[in-house]
Amino acid sequence: MTPVQLRELMPALANKTYFNYGGQGPLPTPSLKAITASWERIQELGPFTADIWPWLEQETRGLRGALAALCGVPPERLALTENVTSGCVLPLWGLPWQAGDELLISDCEHPGVVAACRELARREKLTISTLQVKALRGDLTSTNASVLEALENSLTPTTRLVVLSQLLWNTGQLMPIAALAQRLGEHPRRPWLLVDAAQSMGSLPLAEGGAEAFGAGAASVADIYAFTGHKWCCGPEGLGGVALSERLLHESQPTMGGWRSLANENMAGSSDASSAWHHDARRFEVATSCAPLLAGLRQSLELLEAVAPAPQRLELIQARSHQLWQGLGQLPGVHPLLDVPPPAGLVSFVVEGADPGELVHQLGQRAIWLRTLDDPHCLRACTHITTTEEEVELLLDALA
């Protein structure tokens, strides 16, 4: 399949110029049909019969295995979630915290994750400090060195958790997760590492064997690596996953358990409540979710793979993001945030003398869609494998 053929399967791209893949990717028609067929199959089998459970287990096991393979982790380390937030919060809140533990959070994290960490700190009497990465706008070699230097300057004897996105949602810069995890392993307290992978899954090659400089191996070294399927994977909203380390599975307990969390639903007569939980990542799956979404996301992943393997898809993404970055730099009064071509598909920029919100509104009236960000206050356009050269030029011409 070519990128053009995939694009033709996405009705959302037929009547607009779309640059909001980092917010939500368009759902291909085959994925929508897979969801509908799954609904129909559930009703054919009977939504609560002896026949439905083997089928549902097969659907769940298939997607879990596919996502685990993308992350480069065994399936038992992969929990299915509804979104990035639940993937971060449920295992995070189950860790054994002590009053005075420090949370080191980067200054480029999504407000949802930051808010959850602040509430955790309030309840457990923890402290919060900041890892400064927002100003890093150069090449990956200098960025990696600067991140590790900032980490070295920020670690303290009480640091217990580091929160850092792999691909920063605001500046578009890539973080050296593997190197950072190695450094944390040398710390006396071995702080846990939480990675928000909302912008990574579907855009970067994550499994080991790819280029480490572009994210390979990150999911396997983080303690919590949470992602969603509705952005760069172009799947349905309401379904994602989290890869968890063996250490975290040993140390964290469920905070919101349900029937899917249980290996043994019959807890009667047992004095050890913990024996009922799954011993793998499934303990952080809660209860009834929308099963047909499994088929939709699996279909979207198969369509992306039909175009090219992950490393080659990143090259296609970069071709368009680099075209956009270079074109923005040639427009008077327009300044890309990064000093070098972006490592993936996020292109953030500022326009002198223009209010970002008003500019997005004006572009939207021309059916050109991108978004604003508050910190830093800028515009963000995202390119995917379905973005065309003509679309990039259309945006550049409109900005000019």
Side-chain angles (χ1 to χ4, degrees):
M1 179 178 291
T2 67
V4 172
Q5 289 173 323
L6 176 59
R7 181 185 176 89
E8 291 172 349
L9 297 176
M10 295 174 165
L13 300 183
N15 56 357
K16 61 183 65 65
T17 304
Y18 192 73
F19 292 101
N20 277 334
Y21 295 94
Q24 185 159 334
L27 187 69
T29 297
S31 302
L32 179 58
K33 289 182 177 179
I35 294 171
T36 303
S38 181
W39 280 117
E40 293 172 346
R41 185 58 175 158
I42 290 172
Q43 298 309 310
E44 291 168 359
L45 293 172
F48 204 93
T49 65
D51 294 333
I52 191 68
W53 304 114
W55 177 86
L56 184 58
E57 173 58 27
Q58 181 179 1
E59 290 286 291
T60 304
R61 186 170 59 248
L63 181 62
R64 188 194 311 279
L67 293 174
L70 290 176
C71 290
V73 302
E76 56 268 22
R77 283 177 52 187
L78 197 290
L80 298 175
T81 65
E82 278 66 45
N83 43 57
V84 172
T85 302
S86 59
C88 291
V89 172
L90 295 183
L92 177 65
W93 282 40
L95 289 168
W97 299 100
Q98 298 178 1
D101 284 346
E102 180 185 67
L103 311 181
L104 179 59
I105 306 174
S106 97
D107 57 353
C108 280
E109 297 313 301
H110 192 277
V113 175
V114 174
C117 288
R118 287 176 176 170
E119 178 60 17
L120 173 66
R122 185 189 70 81
R123 295 189 182 199
E124 300 290 344
K125 296 181 173 56
L126 314 177
T127 63
I128 294 179
S129 59
T130 302
L131 179 66
Q132 304 285 349
V133 298
K134 189 188 306 179
L136 302 180
R137 310 289 173 84
D139 61 76
L140 292 184
T141 300
S142 63
T143 294
N144 293 352
S146 296
V147 171
L148 294 176
E149 181 181 1
L151 178 69
E152 205 64 43
N153 294 333
S154 302
L155 288 173
T156 71
T158 61
T159 304
R160 200 69 181 98
L161 173 77
V162 175
V163 180
L164 180 64
S165 296
Q166 183 175 9
L167 192 61
L168 303 182
W169 75 297
N170 39 23
T171 70
Q173 190 60 288
L174 184 65
M175 297 288 101
I177 298 300
L180 188 139
Q182 181 178 354
R183 174 61 187 92
L184 294 183
E186 300 167 356
H187 187 279
R189 297 196 70 190
R190 293 185 63 209
W192 298 299
L193 174 59
L194 185 157
V195 177
D196 180 336
Q199 304 299 335
S200 310
M201 174 60 76
S203 68
L204 299 177
L206 304 179
E208 293 185 19
E212 184 175 323
F214 286 98
S220 63
V221 298
D223 292 296
I224 300 173
Y225 188 90
F227 56 87
T228 181
H230 75 265
K231 295 181 184 289
W232 297 91
C233 292
C234 297
E237 62 268 35
L239 180 59
V242 58
L244 302 168
S245 68
E246 294 286 355
R247 177 174 68 139
L248 184 132
L249 290 174
H250 176 72
E251 296 176 337
S252 184
Q253 294 300 314
T255 50
M256 188 178 176
W259 64 267
R260 283 172 60 196
S261 317
L262 300 174
N264 176 18
E265 293 188 43
N266 184 14
M267 299 175 62
S270 173
S271 59
D272 182 11
S274 64
S275 64
W277 305 117
H278 281 298
H279 295 291
D280 57 21
R282 289 175 295 173
R283 77 174 69 171
F284 297 105
E285 297 176 6
V286 183
T288 305
S289 295
C290 185
L293 300 183
L294 301 169
L297 179 53
R298 188 176 67 248
Q299 179 66 69
S300 290
L301 295 175
E302 291 174 357
L303 290 170
L304 291 173
E305 189 67 22
V307 174
Q312 283 68 53
R313 293 202 305 273
L314 177 59
E315 292 177 2
L316 294 172
I317 291 172
Q318 290 173 329
R320 297 286 74 78
S321 68
H322 291 186
Q323 176 193 355
L324 178 56
W325 178 87
Q326 292 167 353
L328 291 170
Q330 295 172 2
L331 294 177
V334 180
H335 308 285
L337 290 194
L338 295 184
D339 299 330
V340 296
L346 301 174
V347 186
S348 295
F349 60 98
V350 295
V351 179
E352 292 179 8
D355 175 75
E358 177 58 27
L359 194 52
V360 166
H361 175 71
Q362 293 178 17
L363 290 170
Q365 291 180 324
R366 303 189 188 190
I368 302 173
W369 295 103
L370 60 163
R371 65 162 294 178
T372 62
L373 299 175
D374 291 332
D375 187 19
H377 198 37
C378 64
L379 298 103
R380 188 188 75 183
C382 302
T383 67
H384 208 330
I385 63 174
T386 46
T387 305
T388 66
E389 293 184 45
E390 293 75 16
E391 284 183 305
V392 173
E393 291 303 322
L394 184 64
L395 172 57
L396 293 172
D397 289 343
L399 289 171

